Amino acid sequence: MITIQMNGKKTAVKEGHVSDLLSHHGYDDRRVVVELNGDILRRESWGEAPLRDGDRVEIIGFMGGG
């Protein structure tokens, strides 16, 4: 397990990639933007972007409505 800061809160997670984190927490990858340590990640790189101890991850979700 590693500790990251996800959306402003310290969170213990399994080692893996950003895509694993999103899947584990139930995020719809078509409706979010991910920032890792201050950099916005391209969706294509989520499966290749490893999570490391101390990383800061911000997940911004989009909502529809009318």
Side-chain angles (χ1 to χ4, degrees), residues 2-19:
I2 60 172
T3 301
I4 64 170
Q5 186 170 341
M6 186 172 87
N7 293 338
K9 296 181 182 177
K10 285 189 178 183
T11 306
V13 298
K14 290 182 182 179
E15 289 186 47
H17 295 90
V18 169
S19 59

Side-chain angles (χ1 to χ4, degrees), residues 16-23 34 36 41 45-47 49-51 57:
H17 295 90
V18 169
S19 59
D20 301 324
L21 178 71
L22 295 174
S23 178
V34 178
L36 177 63
L41 296 180
S45 69
W46 292 354
L51 293 172
V57 180

